Amino acid sequence: MEFFKIKRDIPFMRHALIFNVVSALTFAAAVFFLLHKGLNLSVEFTGGTVMELQYPHAADQEKIRRSLQTLGYEHPEVTSFGTAQSVMLRLPKTSAGASGSQAVFNTLCAAESAATKTVDTITPQGDHVARTACLNARGEEAVSLKRVEFVGPQVGDELTQSGLNALVMVIVGVMIYLAIRFEWKFAVAAIIANLHDVIIILGFFAYFGWEFSLTVLAAVLAVLGYSVNESVVIFDRIRENFRKQRKASVTEVIDNAITSTISRTIITHGCTQMMVLSMLFFGGASLHYFAIALTIGICFGIYSSVFVAAAIAMWLGVKREDLIKPLKEKDETDGAVV
């Protein structure tokens, strides 16, 4: 399927050096911000408090965030938990210590025009348990605190290590796949291009101080797979062109491969970006940084697949013989009558 067809090949490889210099400078800037400012890690990585709340109606998450910001939480993570009435709060460590969760509960009660009171609750086993409830003027419970958990730094370290392991496994798996399907030069080119995308995404989060959470890590891993898919499409077309264009040079083969896949790239990435933008503008705060990471990854994924991966493969010396076995010359004695 094509929206349009370009009749004349665009000489991408003629300007490969310029594009890769821009790419190298962007990569260096991203590394600088990562080392200088670092990532703003979320509660899952640094430790903090996790609270589950239950409302009798659909919870107003923006109102909850504003209430938490009055307590000094700059980037409180508020997400739905199962239903619109259930809310999960992930709050970083504060100087409030053990009393922090109670202060949060009191503030949210005040936001609902209710007050905290000690009430007697009967458990399923028939035991009477005194607990703090949030009751409005009519005596109805406005907010119910289901559970409070503390995420320690040890758990954060384990999640960090698991995230790094997942990233390394994806990279190694991609290299093995591309080396088997194509040739090691393509595998090296694709990995350099994909790491370029990942580091730039992390650089954006470091520079702007955006919160880096598990959902953002999931977006980074998704970008890796998405960028690899684009590289594979171009590499496939390069291999096909090596078979068809026997007299063309390597540069001409690569230019034709990229030009002939432009329409497909616009359709694929355009449709994907429309879905990501819908999450960015209408998905709420819980999907905001996830969608931002995907948006950056998609834009730079196109750039890296076209201008970085293909150019590096060309500079590594990829040639027709790497992908296509040369035809054996026919023996002069073949077919001779004895």
Side-chain angles (χ1 to χ4, degrees):
M1 179 179 178
E2 290 182 333
F3 278 151
F4 55 85
K5 188 171 184 179
I6 303 175
K7 296 181 179 180
R8 188 173 181 179
D9 293 343
I10 302 174
F12 290 104
M13 293 301 99
R14 182 186 301 173
H15 309 288
L17 181 59
I18 298 175
F19 290 129
N20 279 265
V21 167
V22 173
S23 178
L25 292 176
T26 308
F27 182 88
V31 172
F32 171 78
F33 291 125
L34 277 172
L35 297 176
H36 182 66
K37 301 184 69 173
L39 291 173
N40 178 23
L41 298 175
S42 66
V43 174
E44 294 97 340
F45 298 103
T46 60
T49 304
V50 177
M51 299 176 62
E52 182 184 348
L53 304 173
Q54 180 74 29
Y55 285 78
H57 51 77
D60 187 345
Q61 295 186 13
E62 288 302 321
K63 183 179 178 181
I64 295 174
R65 288 190 186 90
R66 289 194 297 269
S67 299
L68 293 175
Q69 287 170 353
T70 61
L71 292 176
Y73 296 104
E74 296 182 1
H75 302 287
E77 187 175 345
V78 183
T79 58
S80 297
F81 186 70
T83 63
Q85 291 80 20
S86 297
V87 174
M88 179 76 75
L89 308 182
R90 292 184 175 88
L91 306 174
K93 296 177 184 178
T94 63
S95 58
S99 62
S101 59
Q102 188 59 52
V104 169
F105 188 60
N106 294 341
T107 301
L108 296 179
C109 282
E112 296 294 324
S113 300
T116 55
K117 298 179 181 179
T118 302
V119 298
D120 192 39
T121 303
I122 302 177
T123 66
Q125 292 77 23
D127 300 327
H128 290 261
V129 178
R131 67 181 181 88
T132 302
C134 182
L135 305 178
N136 57 24
R138 297 187 298 272
E140 300 170 342
E141 195 159 9
V143 184
S144 175
L145 180 60
K146 293 297 183 181
R147 65 185 173 97
V148 178
E149 295 180 357
F150 175 73
V151 180
Q154 183 177 0
V155 177
D157 292 340
E158 291 176 359
L159 287 173
T160 303
Q161 187 61 46
S162 298
L164 291 174
N165 292 341
L167 189 61
V168 171
M169 289 176 65
V170 169
I171 292 172
V172 172
V174 168
M175 287 192 70
I176 294 174
Y177 165 74
L178 291 177
I180 294 174
R181 179 167 179 177
F182 296 100
E183 208 263 344
W184 70 267
K185 296 171 185 175
F186 283 124
V188 173
I191 288 302
I192 293 175
N194 292 343
L195 288 178
H196 161 275
D197 300 340
V198 170
I199 296 300
I200 287 179
I201 293 174
L202 299 180
F204 269 94
F205 273 78
Y207 177 75
F208 291 103
W210 296 332
E211 186 179 60
F212 188 86
S213 62
L214 286 178
T215 55
V216 177
L217 177 60
V220 171
L221 295 176
V223 166
L224 267 175
Y226 196 79
S227 184
V228 166
N229 178 68
E230 180 66 25
S231 299
V232 166
V233 170
I234 295 176
F235 292 165
D236 253 332
R237 187 58 62 90
I238 291 174
R239 179 168 58 183
E240 181 182 337
N241 285 352
F242 274 137
R243 291 193 180 100
K244 292 180 179 179
Q245 303 174 352
R246 294 285 179 172
K247 296 182 179 180
S249 64
V250 174
T251 301
E252 292 171 340
V253 165
I254 295 176
D255 286 339
N256 180 265
I258 298 174
T259 303
S260 59
T261 57
I262 285 180
S263 180
R264 176 260 174 204
T265 299
I266 293 175
I267 295 172
T268 304
H269 291 274
C271 292
T272 305
Q273 190 59 52
M274 284 192 293
M275 296 300 296
V276 173
L277 288 177
S278 67
M279 288 191 291
L280 179 62
F281 294 118
F282 307 110
S286 58
L287 293 176
H288 183 72
Y289 293 127
F290 175 79
I292 285 181
L294 285 178
T295 299
I296 298 171
I298 289 173
C299 294
F300 279 94
I302 299 173
Y303 179 88
S304 66
S305 298
V306 174
F307 302 121
V308 179
I312 291 176
M314 178 184 68
W315 289 331
L316 287 175
V318 67
K319 53 186 181 295
R320 183 175 284 101
E321 290 75 14
D322 292 333
L323 302 173
I324 304 173
K325 293 182 180 180
L327 296 175
K328 294 182 179 179
E329 295 183 3
K330 193 171 182 180
D331 196 341
E332 295 179 357
T333 61
D334 290 349
V337 180
V338 179

